[in-house]
Amino acid sequence: MTSDSMGSVSLAPEALAQPRLAHAALEAVITVDQQQRIVMINPAGLSMFGLTSEQALGMDLGRLIPPRLRAAHQGHVQRFSDSPEIERPMGQRGQVLGLRANGEEFPLEAAIFKSDVVLPSGTVSYTTALLRDLSEFTRMSSVIEQLNQRLRSVFERAPVAIWITERDRVVFANSACARLVGLQETGQLVGRSIFELLAPDSREPVRSKLQNLEQTEGVSVLVGSLQRADGA
């Protein structure tokens, strides 16, 4: 069974199974035979790689991988096929690179599993991959990191002391903050508890105020005393 459009699941002449679930999947679903030739690919898979059914069916799976990585990928699939494992969930291999028909490389995540199909000629083993395109996730992660760097740059230039904490631990401090507590470098503050930077008589009042702040929203003013590195 094949399709003249990219809107239906494509199966090799020996139909593997009912394709409805694969057809409805948002992730790409690709099944290969023991020679790693594609025998089934769903619409999401055709769209992901920019292929038609006619192009994809019978294609060597390696053509969906950048040339420099094909030999290693072929060996990985073969070792999985020969192993007693039935499946490998997403996340166990980390990111994989795919290759679209237009030559574009893109990051993807893969889960693979094996299945046996009984045919008149005997039992045949197939390997199916569930693929998730990580291009948008990677792009958004890059954008977020750029925004974080810009924000840190703005904070670093600020004339007032600024620290950012996760719970009570400092994860960022600007130069003005380091100078305020008598330290040479901001790195000397990162990882430290803010209560180490408070005068002893301010620690419990500030701790109580912070606990209340976690349960409310808005801006709160904390009053207390800092203790400099020299004890002042």
Side-chain angles (χ1 to χ4, degrees):
M1 171 181 170
T2 60
S3 171
D4 293 331
S5 67
M6 294 175 61
S8 65
V9 171
S10 305
L11 293 174
E14 64 274 24
L16 302 181
Q18 176 56 258
R20 292 178 181 174
L21 292 178
H23 185 285
L26 298 178
E27 292 88 357
V29 181
I30 299 176
T31 298
V32 299
D33 61 17
Q34 293 174 315
Q35 287 73 47
Q36 297 190 26
R37 295 174 304 199
I38 297 173
V39 296
M40 191 280 285
I41 181 168
N42 70 341
L46 294 172
S47 177
M48 179 181 293
F49 289 96
L51 297 168
T52 64
S53 299
E54 290 75 13
Q55 292 171 326
L57 288 178
M59 175 188 290
D60 189 285
L61 180 64
R63 292 177 58 185
L64 303 182
I65 304 295
R68 67 185 183 280
L69 304 176
R70 285 175 185 171
H73 182 266
Q74 182 181 32
H76 168 78
V77 175
Q78 187 61 53
R79 285 191 297 274
F80 172 73
S81 180
D82 295 338
S83 76
E85 291 181 88
I86 300 300
E87 62 177 330
R88 288 183 185 174
M90 286 190 179
Q92 289 193 359
R93 283 196 62 202
Q95 290 188 15
V96 182
L97 284 180
L99 182 68
R100 305 192 205 275
N102 62 5
E104 175 192 355
E105 295 184 7
F106 67 101
L108 57 85
E109 191 175 38
I112 54 178
F113 61 91
K114 290 184 288 192
S115 58
D116 292 330
V117 178
V118 178
L119 300 173
S121 57
T123 301
V124 181
S125 296
Y126 294 92
T127 301
T128 298
L130 180 67
L131 307 176
R132 182 180 299 157
D133 189 339
L134 298 180
S135 299
E136 184 63 17
F137 174 80
T138 301
R139 188 187 71 80
M140 290 304 299
S141 296
S142 177
V143 170
I144 291 172
E145 179 57 28
Q146 291 176 16
L147 292 175
N148 283 336
Q149 290 179 358
R150 291 178 185 176
L151 187 60
R152 288 172 181 265
S153 179
V154 170
F155 284 171
E156 182 58 37
R157 293 187 177 94
V160 295
I162 298 174
W163 70 38
I164 299 174
T165 65
E166 183 174 321
R167 296 187 180 276
D168 68 316
R169 298 286 169 178
V170 177
V171 295
F172 170 83
N174 66 353
S175 297
C177 186
R179 291 193 298 269
L180 181 66
V181 296
L183 295 174
Q184 297 297 317
E185 300 178 357
T186 58
Q188 294 175 278
L189 281 169
V190 175
R192 295 179 62 178
S193 169
I194 59 172
F195 298 110
E196 297 178 37
L197 309 173
L198 296 175
D201 59 353
S202 293
R203 292 171 186 171
E204 285 309 312
V206 170
R207 190 188 304 274
S208 177
K209 187 72 172 179
L210 288 176
Q211 289 174 346
N212 293 334
L213 187 61
E214 290 178 354
Q215 302 172 6
T216 61
E217 296 182 358
V219 177
S220 182
V221 177
L222 306 182
V223 179
S225 300
L226 290 174
Q227 181 168 286
R228 299 184 191 275
D230 60 7

